Amino acid sequence: MTTALITGSTAGIGAAFARRLAADGHDLVLVARDTKRLREQATELHDRHGIEAEVLTADLAADAGIEAVAARLGDRRRPVDLLVNNAGFGNKGRYLEVSLADELRMLKVHCEAVLRLTSAATEAMRDRGRGGVVNVASVAAFVPRGTYGASKAWVVQFTQGVARDLAGSGVRLMALCPGFVRTEFHERAGMGTDNIPGWMWLDADKVVASALHDLARGRTLSIPDPRYKALMGAAKLVPRRMLGGLSSRTGRKYGPQ
């Protein structure tokens, strides 16, 4: 039996990863800020699937939270075989409408935490000769669209670069880039979703199933739906300047900054 650590495990894609991995028989380390929700989630998954679910309360926007999770990942007595860096959020508002403190907090969670936790996990995994990391990004990584898209672009480039550096070590890394997924993401950011077309929505459980399939195949990038694969393919054909204008208008209408 192997162990997976999931950040942002109590909602959305993180919760879907927890459900699927528990159903597949993996023990879990569940990481989020809300201890009550973590304990409820751990109890439910243990009772339903008979796995062990450890709770780790941590705020990845703070050094202490990152350090606590990194220490757990580096514990050689209790190895973690799969890390899912899922924690993240969006800020409502255009650039300069969002406070610098909130922008820096996003970068802390999306970039610094991902760097430090991936480093802690892969060092231990490389020594064992096996392991995997899924860093959750977004299709926003592929279009010029403010701080959110820029942070997710960093996640994609970082993940694929590390995957190349660790090739042959037994450690797999993959960036997961979904589109709109039915989660608490937009509600928490105070963003309306009524104007998002129905065809653009993805199911979190299906996103996770596709991601795990791609990870098993050794892919370093997963766009888990044919619709978004087609959109991203078309985006490569659009001139960069035109794409910037389109993504800006679309982002103001549908997504985070």
Side-chain angles (χ1 to χ4, degrees):
M1 184 174 291
T2 59
T3 298
L5 185 149
I6 306 165
T7 69
S9 71
T10 55
I13 295 174
F17 266 109
R19 289 191 298 270
R20 171 60 186 269
L21 292 170
D24 288 347
H26 299 276
D27 288 337
L28 301 176
V29 182
L30 305 171
V31 180
R33 295 178 297 170
D34 189 325
T35 303
K36 182 176 183 292
R37 289 185 71 177
L38 280 171
R39 289 175 176 168
E40 291 172 350
Q41 181 185 32
T43 299
E44 178 184 356
L45 293 173
H46 169 76
D47 291 349
R48 178 172 297 181
H49 302 291
I51 55 93
E52 295 300 319
E54 177 185 343
V55 165
L56 177 52
T57 305
D59 181 358
L60 298 183
D63 283 333
I66 297 174
E67 290 163 5
V69 182
R72 178 63 184 85
L73 289 166
D75 188 343
R76 306 304 174 99
R77 299 167 302 167
R78 299 178 296 163
V80 171
D81 304 277
L82 175 66
L83 166 64
V84 180
N85 274 315
N86 167 73
F89 62 93
N91 288 319
K92 183 180 181 180
R94 301 174 66 182
Y95 182 64
L96 295 183
E97 294 175 353
V98 178
S99 72
L100 183 58
D102 286 342
E103 297 279 34
L104 290 172
R105 181 169 168 264
M106 175 185 287
L107 293 178
K108 186 92 170 178
V109 175
H110 289 187
C111 300
E112 182 179 341
V114 169
L115 169 62
R116 292 168 64 179
L117 299 186
T118 299
S119 297
T122 54
E123 183 176 3
M125 291 173 182
R126 182 184 59 184
D127 292 345
R128 295 195 304 273
R130 67 182 187 279
V133 177
V134 176
N135 290 329
V136 179
S138 167
V139 293
F142 305 113
V143 294
R145 186 57 195 147
T147 309
Y148 181 84
S151 69
K152 293 304 187 180
W154 182 91
V155 171
V156 172
Q157 294 297 318
F158 165 72
T159 303
Q160 293 194 296
V162 174
R164 285 191 292 270
D165 287 345
L166 294 181
S169 69
V171 183
R172 296 180 177 181
L173 291 99
M174 186 184 77
L176 171 60
C177 298
F180 290 108
V181 183
R182 294 196 182 279
T183 69
E184 298 177 8
F185 179 92
H186 292 85
E187 180 182 350
R188 288 181 173 182
M191 301 172 189
T193 59
D194 292 342
N195 59 354
I196 300 176
W199 67 266
M200 296 184 75
W201 287 107
L202 304 178
D203 175 77
D205 292 313
K206 292 180 180 179
V207 166
V208 167
S210 180
L212 292 174
H213 177 71
D214 286 344
L215 181 67
R217 295 178 65 186
R219 292 187 174 178
T220 62
L221 179 68
S222 175
I223 301 175
D225 187 87
R227 292 165 290 182
Y228 280 97
K229 288 177 182 177
L231 284 174
M232 293 304 102
K236 293 179 181 179
L237 304 177
V238 177
R240 194 69 176 174
R241 185 173 180 179
M242 182 184 298
L243 181 62
L246 289 171
S247 66
S248 180
R249 290 192 295 274
T250 304
R252 284 198 297 274
K253 186 175 183 181
Y254 297 136
Q257 306 305 304

